[in-house]
Amino acid sequence: EKLQEETEVIAKKTIFEDDPETEAGEEKVLEEGEDGKRIKIIKITFAKDGEEYNREIVSTETTPAKDKKILRGTKIIWKTLDSPDGEIRYWKKMRVYATHYDQHCPGCNEWTAIGMRAGKGVIAVDPKVIPMRSKVYIPGYGVAVAGDTGGAIKGNIIDLGFDDAKTAGWSAKFIDIYLL
């Protein structure tokens, strides 16, 4: 016979707590948390020929995981931006990679995912990042509505709609946009 110790990690969970006093988009770690452990002592019995004959758990000791706690701000704080289009009031600034498209691109047509006519003023977004129907200000483009999605539009990527992408004069680039 011999005793063997096996350790299994119990992963900590991340718990988010909304804070109406902290600005939306801000997060603060309240507790780092800690992974837990499960330690098993196993008795292994061997036959006379040395082959393993039986295994049985003799004891189990568990240290539970402590959750990581993060305070997430939900307060909307309005700010202003002086732009060539006049003063813009926004609540969130985001860094995105902005490409462009029109209704003639492969897989595109004249209607967007929410039933708007594709073209200037309508952008494709990842709805997990920018909610559909949101108004957005894009420097060098203007005010737009998040009205479309696209297969390549994942995360912080947006696709600016144009009536004709060939003559739009837009080059794909990183840019700050403003949620209105």
Side-chain angles (χ1 to χ4, degrees), residues 105-135:
C105 73
C108 299
N109 61 49
E110 63 182 298
W111 300 105
T112 69
I114 63 167
M116 296 178 74
R117 190 173 287 281
K120 179 87 164 96
V122 180
I123 62 171
V125 299
D126 180 342
K128 292 182 191 135
V129 178
I130 299 172
M132 296 304 280
R133 294 180 172 79
S134 296
K135 284 185 108 179

Side-chain angles (χ1 to χ4, degrees), residues 95-101 138-141 152-153 156-162 165-166 168-177:
R95 186 95 175 142
V96 298
Y97 188 69
T99 58
H100 67 292
Y101 78 110
I138 302 118
Y141 181 80
I153 310 304
N156 283 27
I157 297 174
I158 64 172
D159 212 356
L160 307 180
F162 283 96
K166 291 184 188 90
W170 185 269
S171 297
K173 61 187 165 197
F174 283 98
I175 190 167
D176 290 328
I177 65 168

Side-chain angles (χ1 to χ4, degrees), residues 38-106:
R38 184 173 292 119
I39 300 171
K40 295 179 192 171
I41 304 295
I42 299 167
K43 181 167 92 174
I44 303 171
T45 309
F46 296 94
K48 287 183 181 169
D49 63 2
E51 290 292 314
E52 187 178 310
Y53 172 73
N54 189 30
R55 276 180 176 248
E56 85 180 77
I57 297 172
V58 178
S59 71
T60 303
E61 189 179 309
T62 303
T63 307
K66 291 181 186 156
D67 295 337
K68 179 176 186 173
K69 291 185 183 165
I70 297 177
L71 205 57
R72 182 172 23 202
T74 59
K75 186 176 187 178
I76 302 284
I77 297 175
W78 289 95
K79 301 172 185 133
T80 57
L81 169 74
D82 286 324
S83 78
D85 301 315
E87 191 175 86
I88 303 287
R89 282 180 41 83
Y90 70 97
W91 67 274
K92 186 175 184 181
K93 175 179 169 181
M94 293 178 70
R95 186 95 175 142
V96 298
Y97 188 69
T99 58
H100 67 292
Y101 78 110
D102 63 22
Q103 66 181 358
H104 307 294
C105 73

